[in-house]
Amino acid sequence: MILGIGTDLANIDRIQNTLDRFGDRFRNRVFTERELSRASSRAHEAATLAKRWAAKEACSKALGTGLAMGISWRDMAVSNLRTGQPVMELTGWAAERLAEMTPQGHRAIVHVTLTDDHPWAQAFVVIEARPDPLEQRQQPGPA
C-alpha cells in the first residue's frame, strides 16, 4: 500500500548561487558527508546537490510533514547503490515519522527517483508499506 507520495523541482542555478554565497555553511546544514562526497566527485556539483535537495523536499512531503514540522535536512540522505539507483535513508525525526505511519505487520520502503536537465532537477518519492512476513509470523493470532 502507498503511504505517501512527494515530488519537488529544484533550480540548479539557484543551488549554485546558494553554494557561491554560503559555501560550506549551506553544504553542511543540508547535506550529509556521503552526499557531499558524491557531489564533489561529480563534474557538476550543483546539479548533484540540487537533485538531493529536491529528494529531501519530496521525502518530507511524502512523510506528510514538510520541512516546517521538525524534520532536519540531514535526517534524509540520498545515496546510490552500485547500480547507480538512488536510495533514501531516514534517521532522526524522519525515521520516527516513518515508523509512526507504517502499519503494524508491515515494513516501509522509500522509493526515490532523480533526474536533471539544466536548469532543473527533479525528484519523486513514494513511500510503500509491504507486509512483513517475519513480523506477521510473530503476531499472536485471534483468541
Side-chain angles (χ1 to χ4, degrees):
M1 89 182 66
I2 302 300
L3 299 178
I5 299 172
T7 186
D8 193 66
L9 185 65
N11 185 287
I12 296 168
D13 293 333
R14 181 173 166 241
I15 296 296
Q16 183 62 63
N17 290 340
T18 303
L19 289 168
D20 293 343
R21 185 168 178 201
F22 298 105
D24 286 342
R25 196 168 104 210
F26 170 68
R27 285 180 185 90
N28 295 327
R29 188 179 129 238
V30 176
F31 303 102
T32 65
E33 288 300 318
R34 183 183 233 173
E35 290 171 315
L36 292 171
S37 176
R38 171 99 177 172
S40 69
S41 72
R42 309 293 289 196
H44 301 286
E45 177 191 29
T48 301
L49 293 178
K51 287 186 283 190
R52 279 146 179 77
W53 171 280
K56 292 167 187 267
E57 288 274 6
C59 186
S60 71
K61 293 170 185 174
L63 289 168
T65 63
L67 284 159
M69 294 182 64
I71 293 177
S72 165
W73 286 103
R74 293 171 54 100
D75 285 348
M76 301 166 286
V78 177
S79 61
N80 296 81
L81 301 177
R82 285 186 176 172
T83 61
Q85 176 185 352
V87 292
M88 179 71 72
E89 180 183 342
L90 303 181
T91 58
W93 199 88
E96 291 172 21
R97 171 66 182 143
L98 181 63
E100 286 173 10
M101 61 191 287
T102 304
Q104 188 172 358
H106 290 72
R107 64 184 174 90
I109 301 166
V110 180
H111 303 278
V112 60
T113 187
L114 310 171
T115 191
D116 68 289
D117 187 5
H118 194 271
W120 302 107
Q122 186 174 31
F124 288 93
V125 171
V126 176
I127 301 175
E128 173 189 14
R130 287 188 188 164
D132 187 344
L134 184 61
E135 190 174 319
Q136 289 181 343
R137 261 188 266 142
Q138 296 172 0
Q139 299 291 322

